[in-house]
Amino acid sequence: LQENKDINWVQLYEPGGLESRMAVGLGVLSLPVTIILDKSGKVVKATSHYTPDLEEIIADTMPTKK
């Protein structure tokens, strides 16, 4: 996926869908889901839909390009 898109964040996939270790561990109940983590791995925002604050949270969380 990342090879074909201009995406500067990590996309994660683990076989098993909602029963996968990653989905269960992160509390994912439906797909698609957006989970934003800070540098330490703490969940900053988890949502299954767009919210007005999402772009601001992403901008505040993403490292700046140099």
Side-chain angles (χ1 to χ4, degrees):
L1 177 66
Q2 284 182 296
E3 294 173 7
N4 301 324
K5 306 284 182 188
D6 185 23
I7 298 174
N8 60 356
W9 57 81
V10 176
Q11 301 283 314
L12 300 176
Y13 168 79
E14 183 173 273
L18 298 175
E19 265 63 283
S20 71
R21 180 181 53 94
M22 182 170 46
V24 171
L26 291 171
V28 175
L29 302 175
S30 64
L31 297 173
V33 66
T34 300
I35 301 172
I36 301 170
L37 307 173
D38 65 13
K39 287 177 117 177
S40 68
K42 178 184 172 195
V43 175
V44 175
K45 175 87 173 179
T47 184
S48 60
H49 58 282
Y50 177 83
T51 59
D53 62 340
L54 195 56
E55 290 181 37
E56 183 178 343
I57 292 169
I58 291 170
D60 290 345
T61 307
M62 295 289 292
T64 56
K65 288 186 176 182
K66 294 184 180 182

